[in-house]
Amino acid sequence: MQVIARAYDWLINTMRVLAGVVIFAVFILIVSDVLIRLAGLQPWIYSTIIVEYSLLWFAMLAAPYLTRIKGHVFIDAVTAMLSVRLRWYVEKLAYIICITASVVFAWYSWDLLIEAITDGLIDVRAEEIPLWYLLAPMPCCFVLVTVEFLRYLLGFDTMYGDRTDVRDNV
Amino acid sequence: MEWLSALTFSGMEWYWAFALLLGMIMFMMALGVPVAFAFLTTNIVGWIGFNGFNLDAILQVVENSTVLITRFTLAPVPMFIMMGSLFFHTGLAIRVFDGLDALFGRLPGRLCFLTVAGGSIFSTLTGSSMANTAMLGSLMVPEMQRRGYNRQMSMGPILGTGGLAMIIPPSALGVLLASVASIAVGRLLIAGLLPGFTLAALYAGMIGLQLWMNPGSAPPYDVAPTSTGQKLKLVMTNILPMGFVVFMVIGFIIFGWATPTEAAAIGVLGVMILAAAFRVLTRRAIVTSVDSTVRVAAMVFFILMNSTVFSQLLAFSGASAGMLEWATSFEVNRLIVLLVMFGVLLMLGMFMDATSMMLITVPIFFPLANQLGFDLVWFGLFVLITIEMAGTTPPFGLLLYVMMGVAPKGTTLFQVAKAAFPFLICDTILILILVAFPELALWLPSLM
């Protein structure tokens, strides 16, 4: 069991690192594009599309990690006024809503991904790109986000900690 | 399955649709459901309901969310966040403060004025209000407390100035707003320049007024004398080089070398070059900055992915069009409508973060403002200033919490909010100036 937990933690952390790599690559790509154009050369036609796709990949790769570190912004002004017991129930209800939405999104994004692969669906932008390139990270991301919310639901951790840790996110 | 079809929302009057959709979002947010997931759940329920309880509508939600988030115009958001992070983590921000510190001499309330001056410069270099407030707060509050400044004077100017980053270009939130509301990014960014510095001047005036009313709130103290030569040297080495980064962002846009979208990445390059020149560009600083970017930008993008689909849902349900028709059917002065929008934003800001409230209101407010004949760039700036104000209103103003995070232990939310209040008055004055003289915002964009 410990091996699985460690492997899982490694996966979440690796995805976070990959999100960082993706966003740094976006920076390099945009700067290169501008410099190439200023040098009077023709920029690479795929750079805009890669930047656009990277924005989704970056958000998806980081989502499970954000859930783990309570990085998704939420409002606790109302729940803070409830009694401890009632807050416990409300907290669990909030996790159940998040889990349900994540499972539905994981299921249907998987459905769409399979359809995109089998039917050869195309995303038409500046160039034509297979749609599954765009959809690929979504099912996995939402499954992992579901697991993270399940951890909260089962009481391994709580999402509603000290709000002042927002400073760490700056 | 008869009962299922009874659950369909099709044919619902616009006001019921409007109340249902916004009510669902608000209810889930009140439960503590993360904002992104509140949007996501509402989208799923709403799309199914307004499509005659057809579960396949969820496929549309998934597809739309991937399309709307993958727009090149959104790329500056993570870039500006990275630029701000690098600026802080390399220590360049501290150098600016050291330079400014020498200029103020033995002025009463010098640390407050230093905050406004430093904050205005930081704003042109970071584009993130949270980063600005955290930086100013962690740097200045301990020093102000040590020098005997009361809480009002030590936290107020920081909260006010921290928010300047929202309007002084480059502003990460400004880029986001321009992208979501489909207005020219460059024009909106440039429009914030003069109002931003006017606001800084208003803040300085407010500090002067507070000092005049209560001189003991920020007692003067002795500082080591600095010769004019030393001051000049500090300005040359610590402040003027920052102009290079400003040039890399604004200059590249003005000279047409880069689009406003690309200029954000050029800004990151500018900070890196500057940090390398000062020999403070370390691998650790880069890694930490990228990690901060992942945390903040991915959070924003995850909300954005779902909120843009929510805008579509509002339109699809007929709520947006119905609301628009209703709001413009009254024979009232358009300034009254503006006042109502101002009130709604402030109210939302009491319990909602800047990104969420912006994304909820854009699909409703911008078509309305357009219909009423407001210049959308001017209106965008109005929204940004109001959101900045909302960020410092309790109980949820995010900047208040950032300040609490860096303030001395025992500081209460009420104390922080009270300190911010005089600066909210300055924001209101700026809005009134902008209403009376829209050219203050629109003159610079008109030159583009």
Side-chain angles (χ1 to χ4, degrees):
Chain A
M1 196 64 190
Q2 269 191 338
V3 176
I4 295 172
R6 268 209 302 272
Y8 176 74
D9 287 346
W10 177 86
L11 178 65
I12 299 279
N13 207 43
T14 305
M15 285 172 73
R16 160 207 185 178
V17 173
L18 278 176
V21 170
V22 167
I23 210 63
F24 198 75
V26 165
F27 154 65
I28 303 272
L29 203 59
I30 296 176
V31 168
S32 319
D33 223 37
V34 173
L35 296 181
I36 288 170
R37 209 172 52 228
L38 284 176
L41 303 170
Q42 185 69 30
W44 191 35
I45 52 165
Y46 284 99
S47 56
T48 304
I49 298 171
I50 292 175
V51 169
E52 288 174 346
Y53 274 41
S54 298
L55 296 176
L56 179 76
W57 274 81
F58 147 75
M60 288 294 111
L61 287 169
Y65 168 70
L66 279 182
T67 315
R68 166 72 61 94
I69 62 160
K70 297 123 189 169
H72 289 296
V73 64
F74 59 87
I75 294 162
D76 59 358
V78 182
T79 49
M81 291 187 282
L82 303 176
S83 65
V84 176
R85 191 170 175 77
L86 191 57
R87 202 183 312 158
W88 186 88
Y89 285 114
V90 169
E91 193 177 319
K92 298 296 174 191
L93 177 62
Y95 297 146
I96 291 169
I97 290 172
C98 295
I99 289 167
T100 312
S102 303
V103 167
V104 169
F105 229 71
W107 180 273
Y108 279 89
S109 58
W110 172 255
D111 224 27
L112 201 60
L113 175 65
I114 297 301
E115 191 187 329
I117 294 171
T118 51
D119 294 358
L121 298 180
I122 297 292
D123 183 27
V124 183
R125 297 185 182 227
E127 291 292 318
E128 291 184 347
I129 307 284
L131 185 63
W132 72 266
Y133 286 10
L134 190 63
L135 298 166
M138 295 189 77
C140 171
C141 152
F142 277 97
V143 166
L144 294 177
V145 167
T146 307
V147 174
E148 286 303 316
F149 279 117
L150 266 173
R151 284 180 66 248
Y152 289 131
L153 181 70
L154 297 176
F156 289 102
D157 198 356
T158 174
M159 198 169 67
Y160 305 93
D162 190 0
R163 281 290 316 278
T164 53
D165 61 358
V166 71
R167 183 173 47 147
D168 301 334
N169 286 346
V170 172
Chain B
M1 297 294 274
E2 269 291 301
W3 64 277
L4 277 180
S5 58
L7 289 175
T8 181
F9 308 149
S10 308
M12 195 180 263
E13 290 291 345
W14 73 265
Y15 41 86
W16 286 120
F18 191 79
L20 178 79
L21 294 175
L22 278 185
M24 271 169 70
I25 293 264
M26 299 293 181
F27 175 70
M28 278 187 280
M29 282 186 186
L31 284 181
V33 173
V35 175
F37 291 87
F39 274 117
L40 180 61
T41 312
T42 308
N43 290 340
I44 292 171
V45 176
W47 278 100
I48 294 173
F50 285 103
N51 276 287
F53 219 85
N54 179 5
L55 290 176
D56 284 345
I58 302 173
L59 288 172
Q60 195 65 42
V61 181
V62 176
E63 197 171 350
N64 288 4
S65 59
T66 61
V67 172
L68 295 168
I69 200 185
T70 51
R71 285 178 292 175
F72 195 69
T73 48
L74 289 173
V77 176
M79 293 300 111
F80 279 141
I81 292 170
M82 198 190 296
M83 187 172 128
S85 296
L86 269 169
F87 186 61
F88 294 121
H89 291 299
T90 53
L92 286 176
I94 306 289
R95 295 184 74 99
V96 175
F97 246 94
D98 288 344
L100 284 170
D101 194 34
L103 295 180
F104 280 89
R106 205 176 167 273
L107 186 75
R110 66 188 298 274
L111 292 176
C112 296
F113 291 110
L114 183 60
T115 300
V116 175
S120 304
I121 295 178
F122 288 164
S123 300
T124 62
L125 297 162
T126 66
S128 163
S129 281
M130 276 206 298
N132 226 16
T133 309
M135 167 72 197
L136 291 170
S138 52
L139 199 66
M140 299 304 292
V141 171
E143 180 66 5
M144 286 173 166
Q145 299 277 319
R146 200 167 67 84
R147 298 292 184 184
Y149 285 43
N150 67 16
R151 284 187 205 269
Q152 179 89 9
M153 290 305 281
S154 59
M155 293 186 296
I158 294 168
L159 282 162
T161 316
L164 276 179
M166 214 172 270
I167 45 177
I168 293 182
S171 153
L173 210 66
V175 171
L176 192 63
L177 178 68
S179 176
V180 176
S182 302
I183 48 181
V185 178
R187 281 170 58 85
L188 180 63
L189 291 184
I190 299 294
L193 200 59
L194 291 180
F197 288 119
T198 306
L199 191 56
L202 285 170
Y203 287 161
M206 179 56 79
I207 291 166
L209 184 70
Q210 284 180 298
L211 280 172
W212 178 70
M213 288 165 68
N214 183 8
S217 60
Y221 59 91
D222 283 326
V223 285
T226 317
S227 68
T228 311
Q230 280 175 312
K231 284 180 184 174
L232 206 63
K233 190 183 166 202
L234 277 168
V235 170
M236 298 293 278
T237 55
N238 288 16
I239 303 174
L240 282 186
M242 304 304 156
F244 171 70
V245 179
V246 178
F247 169 76
M248 291 287 273
V249 180
I250 314 261
F252 265 60
I253 298 175
I254 291 173
F255 289 115
W257 294 340
T259 63
T261 310
E262 293 166 335
I266 299 293
V268 177
L269 180 68
V271 177
M272 282 188 166
I273 292 172
L274 205 59
F278 282 116
R279 300 185 184 284
V280 286
L281 185 67
T282 59
R283 189 167 163 265
R284 187 186 162 88
I286 295 174
V287 170
T288 314
S289 303
V290 171
D291 195 47
S292 292
T293 310
V294 168
R295 289 173 181 220
V296 180
M299 178 264 285
V300 172
F301 269 67
F302 208 73
I303 298 175
L304 193 64
M305 185 176 117
N306 299 299
S307 67
T308 40
V309 179
F310 178 72
S311 305
Q312 288 188 328
L313 179 59
L314 275 180
F316 181 73
S317 67
S320 302
M323 220 286 293
L324 202 60
E325 201 179 317
W326 175 76
T328 51
S329 66
F330 298 105
E331 294 285 324
V332 291
N333 191 309
R334 62 181 191 153
L335 290 180
I336 303 286
V337 183
L338 193 70
L339 189 67
V340 172
M341 290 195 266
F342 176 75
V344 170
L345 281 171
L346 274 194
M347 203 183 68
L348 285 178
M350 287 177 185
F351 55 93
M352 207 178 272
D353 71 291
T355 314
S356 317
M357 61 192 273
M358 194 173 86
L359 296 173
I360 280 184
T361 53
V362 161
I364 302 160
F365 285 1
F366 273 78
L368 187 58
N370 195 28
Q371 193 104 333
L372 293 170
F374 287 110
D375 184 293
L376 288 187
V377 171
W378 181 91
F379 184 72
L381 196 65
F382 163 81
V383 170
L384 284 177
I385 297 168
T386 313
I387 288 176
E388 187 218 317
M389 290 177 74
T392 36
T393 50
F396 189 68
L398 205 57
L399 297 186
L400 298 178
Y401 287 96
V402 174
M403 176 53 78
M404 278 180 72
V406 294
K409 268 201 178 334
T411 306
T412 63
L413 186 66
F414 177 74
Q415 287 168 333
V416 181
K418 191 174 157 224
F421 183 71
F423 297 88
L424 289 175
I425 296 174
C426 295
D427 293 333
T428 313
I429 294 171
L430 178 70
I431 289 179
L432 292 175
I433 293 174
L434 282 173
V435 170
F437 309 102
E439 299 79 22
L440 183 68
L442 297 176
W443 177 64
L444 280 179
S446 72
L447 302 178
M448 289 177 79

